[in-house]
Amino acid sequence: RVEGTASHVVMASAPVRADGRKPAMMRQMKTERNPLQRAEGSARWEQDRSVVLAAVYGPTQTQARKEDVDKLAIEVCWRPAFGLQTPADVDAERALQRTLEQIVLTAKYPRLGLRVVVQVISADGAVEACAMNATCHALMDAGVEMFGTLVAATVAIPKAIDDDDDDALGPCADPTEDEERDAAAVGTFAYCFRGGKPGEVPKNAQPERECDVVHCSARGQMSEEDLLKMATLARDACVEVYMFMRAAVVEWEEDVEREQVRLEERCRAVAAAVKEHGVDGAVELFRLPYGPRGTGAG
C-alpha cells in the first residue's frame, strides 16, 4: 500500500476551500496493488473518501460474438457503491471503455477479450477520475501493454457570487461531492503521459508541449476560456497523479524483488533439507509454522 499527497505551489494569499485546501491542491492519494487474488490484475485507488477498486480479467479467449479478428475486445462493467446503475454510471462506463481502447495496445491481442470491473466503494467527488487511475494501475498489475500511462483528474468551477470579488475561487482541482454539487461546471480530463525517468515530469506533460488528451467530459455552464483553464489545471493535477503512480510502481518493483529473494532463500533451504534429511525428513521439517529459522520459509 502506497500513500502520498499531491499539491501545487500557489500564492499564499490564494483563497481557501471549505476543507482547507488551496484551489489547485489534490487530496491525499493512496493505492494498493493486487487486492484481489483471482484477477489477472487489480488495484485499489483512494482520494480521501473517494475509493474505487478495479479488476482486470484477461486478455483471454472470449465469446465468438464479441471477438475482433484485428484487435482486443474490451468490456467494462461499472458497479456503483449502492443500488443499480444510474444514467451517469452508464456514461462513465462507456467513457472508460472508449478511453481504454485508446490507451491499450489492442492490436497486440487479436481475437482476445479483456474485462474490466470497476467497483465504487465510496464516492466523495472525482469518482470518474479515480476509476480511470485505478484501472490504469490494475492494467499495470496485469501486465497489459499500453501506449503510455493513463492519468485523470476532475476540476470544478465554483459558482460566482460576485463577479467583482477578487477573492473568489477559480477552478478547483479534485473537488469533493459537495463542491461538485454546488459548482457551475465540472469536468474530468484524462491524459496519456509517456517517457521520463522516475521523479521526472514526462516531456509531453510539460506546459510548452502538446499533451495527449484521451478523454474529456464536462457538464454545466462555462465559457471557452473556462474550459481551457479547467484543462490546464487538470493537466497539472495529472502530473501530480503521474508522479505518485511512478513512485508506487517503483515500490511495487521493490516488493517483487524482495519476494523473489525470499523465494530463492526458501528453495535453497528446501534443497539443503532434502540433501541432509531426505524427502520425508524435509517434508516434516517444513511443516513447522515458519520453516527453518532464518530462511523466511513458511
Side-chain angles (χ1 to χ4, degrees), residues 126 154-157 175 179-189 217-222 230:
T154 299
V155 177
I157 297 182
E179 289 176 326
E180 286 187 0
R181 183 173 55 250
D182 298 335
V186 179
T188 298
F189 301 82
S217 63
R219 58 178 173 82
Q221 297 180 349
M222 72 197 82
M230 293 170 68

Side-chain angles (χ1 to χ4, degrees), residues 130-258:
C130 290
M132 290 188 176
N133 295 329
T135 301
C136 180
H137 260 190
L139 290 170
M140 290 179 180
D141 187 41
V144 177
E145 295 189 53
M146 298 180 284
F147 285 103
T149 302
L150 172 65
V151 286
T154 299
V155 177
I157 297 182
K159 292 180 180 178
I161 300 176
D162 184 356
D163 294 337
D164 298 328
D165 187 3
D166 295 334
D167 294 331
L169 285 171
C172 297
D174 192 19
T176 63
E177 187 176 24
D178 291 340
E179 289 176 326
E180 286 187 0
R181 183 173 55 250
D182 298 335
V186 179
T188 298
F189 301 82
Y191 298 86
C192 177
F193 291 157
R194 298 187 301 272
K197 299 178 181 178
E200 293 182 358
V201 177
K203 291 182 179 180
N204 68 331
Q206 296 173 359
E208 64 275 8
R209 300 290 293 271
E210 184 175 341
C211 54
D212 299 329
V213 183
V214 292
H215 170 72
C216 172
S217 63
R219 58 178 173 82
Q221 297 180 349
M222 72 197 82
S223 64
E224 182 178 348
E225 182 182 358
D226 289 336
L227 181 61
L228 292 176
K229 287 181 179 179
M230 293 170 68
T232 301
L233 179 57
R235 181 197 60 199
D236 294 341
C238 283
V239 171
E240 299 290 345
V241 176
Y242 177 83
M243 302 297 282
F244 174 73
M245 276 193 180
R246 291 296 296 266
V249 171
V250 170
E251 185 164 328
W252 290 355
E253 291 175 349
E254 293 174 351
D255 290 341
V256 170
E257 291 176 359
R258 285 192 291 267

Side-chain angles (χ1 to χ4, degrees), residues 21-221:
R21 289 183 291 152
K22 298 294 192 299
M25 289 182 65
M26 299 281 289
R27 292 174 290 180
Q28 185 181 36
M29 293 180 288
K30 301 178 183 178
T31 184
E32 180 181 356
R33 171 180 173 265
N34 198 27
L36 303 177
Q37 300 298 322
R38 294 188 178 183
E40 273 73 23
S42 61
R44 178 187 174 101
W45 184 275
E46 301 179 21
Q47 288 177 208
D48 197 19
R49 288 181 294 181
S50 289
V51 184
V52 175
L53 187 65
V56 172
Y57 300 90
T60 185
Q61 290 185 341
T62 187
Q63 298 176 1
R65 62 184 178 86
K66 293 182 179 180
E67 74 175 21
D68 191 316
V69 296
D70 297 320
K71 62 180 182 179
L72 177 71
I74 299 177
E75 177 186 2
V76 175
C77 177
W78 183 290
R79 296 175 179 172
F82 304 101
L84 301 176
Q85 278 189 335
T86 64
D89 294 329
V90 175
D91 290 342
E93 182 179 85
R94 292 173 179 170
L96 179 57
Q97 179 175 342
R98 290 193 299 267
T99 303
L100 294 180
E101 288 172 348
Q102 299 178 70
I103 288 291
V104 176
L105 291 172
T106 55
K108 288 201 172 229
Y109 308 97
R111 296 184 179 274
L112 298 180
L114 182 76
R115 188 165 187 261
V116 176
V117 179
V118 173
Q119 175 66 63
V120 179
I121 298 175
S122 61
D124 186 26
V127 175
E128 186 178 4
C130 290
M132 290 188 176
N133 295 329
T135 301
C136 180
H137 260 190
L139 290 170
M140 290 179 180
D141 187 41
V144 177
E145 295 189 53
M146 298 180 284
F147 285 103
T149 302
L150 172 65
V151 286
T154 299
V155 177
I157 297 182
K159 292 180 180 178
I161 300 176
D162 184 356
D163 294 337
D164 298 328
D165 187 3
D166 295 334
D167 294 331
L169 285 171
C172 297
D174 192 19
T176 63
E177 187 176 24
D178 291 340
E179 289 176 326
E180 286 187 0
R181 183 173 55 250
D182 298 335
V186 179
T188 298
F189 301 82
Y191 298 86
C192 177
F193 291 157
R194 298 187 301 272
K197 299 178 181 178
E200 293 182 358
V201 177
K203 291 182 179 180
N204 68 331
Q206 296 173 359
E208 64 275 8
R209 300 290 293 271
E210 184 175 341
C211 54
D212 299 329
V213 183
V214 292
H215 170 72
C216 172
S217 63
R219 58 178 173 82
Q221 297 180 349

Side-chain angles (χ1 to χ4, degrees), residues 7-11 240:
S7 61
H8 292 260
V9 178
V10 294
M11 297 287 292
E240 299 290 345

